Amino acid sequence: MMTPEMMDAIEKELVFVATADEEGTPNVVPIGFARPLDERTILIADNYMKKTIRNLHENPRIALIPQNARECPYQFKGTVEIFKSGKYFDMVVEWAQNVMTELEPKSAILMTVEEIYSVKPGPEAGEKVA
């Protein structure tokens, strides 16, 4: 589903993550720790989340977009599973602490990408591409 270029942009860029609570109130935050594991899954580290993680517990739907939408003009939508232990949590802890030793991730968020949309300005904007 995600191309190598899409996956590269997600890993190298800051991404903006959108969630909503069970009443539909939106929340968008910048996230520095997002890494595709394969063409359908993205691992996200919960280092400082408050509203975002609360929203995901209430409503597991998520959307993200890389900071540089000119280079990667796509929005990724899907659902998440949250892990406080196990393989994905261990991966997040190792990854985060390799970047900043003082980080103590609270959970690992595994996003399954279900849809990809174009955000490229022009007639393709908003069109589903995968």
Side-chain angles (χ1 to χ4, degrees):
M1 179 168 265
M2 290 186 289
T3 67
E5 294 79 19
M6 291 172 179
M7 293 168 61
D8 193 49
I10 291 168
E11 185 161 358
K12 290 184 177 177
E13 301 270 342
L14 187 67
V15 296
F16 291 93
V17 172
T19 61
D21 64 19
E22 62 188 2
E23 296 174 9
T25 304
N27 183 59
V28 177
V29 295
I31 300 289
F33 284 86
R35 171 184 284 172
L37 298 181
D38 57 42
E39 67 203 19
R40 294 198 59 93
T41 57
I42 300 170
L43 186 62
I44 302 167
D46 167 13
N47 292 309
Y48 303 111
M49 295 178 184
K50 290 183 178 104
K51 282 187 274 184
T52 300
I53 200 70
R54 185 172 56 237
N55 286 354
L56 290 173
H57 280 290
E58 292 178 11
N59 173 4
R61 304 281 306 152
I62 190 170
L64 71 79
I65 184 170
Q67 178 180 11
N68 189 347
R70 287 184 185 185
E71 304 252 340
C72 185
Y74 301 102
Q75 178 190 62
F76 304 88
K77 291 185 178 187
T79 55
V80 301
E81 291 180 78
I82 300 168
F83 299 90
K84 297 226 176 247
S85 63
K87 175 176 106 174
Y88 296 115
F89 181 75
D90 293 344
M91 288 171 68
V92 160
V93 169
E94 180 180 349
W95 169 31
Q97 290 182 346
N98 280 338
V99 175
M100 296 172 69
T101 56
E102 67 275 7
L103 285 178
E104 295 183 21
K106 297 176 279 188
S107 56
I109 300 163
L110 189 66
M111 175 184 179
T112 299
V113 177
E114 297 166 351
E115 301 171 313
I116 302 173
Y117 292 87
S118 173
V119 296
K120 184 176 182 179
E124 297 174 10
E127 287 188 18
K128 188 173 180 178
V129 297

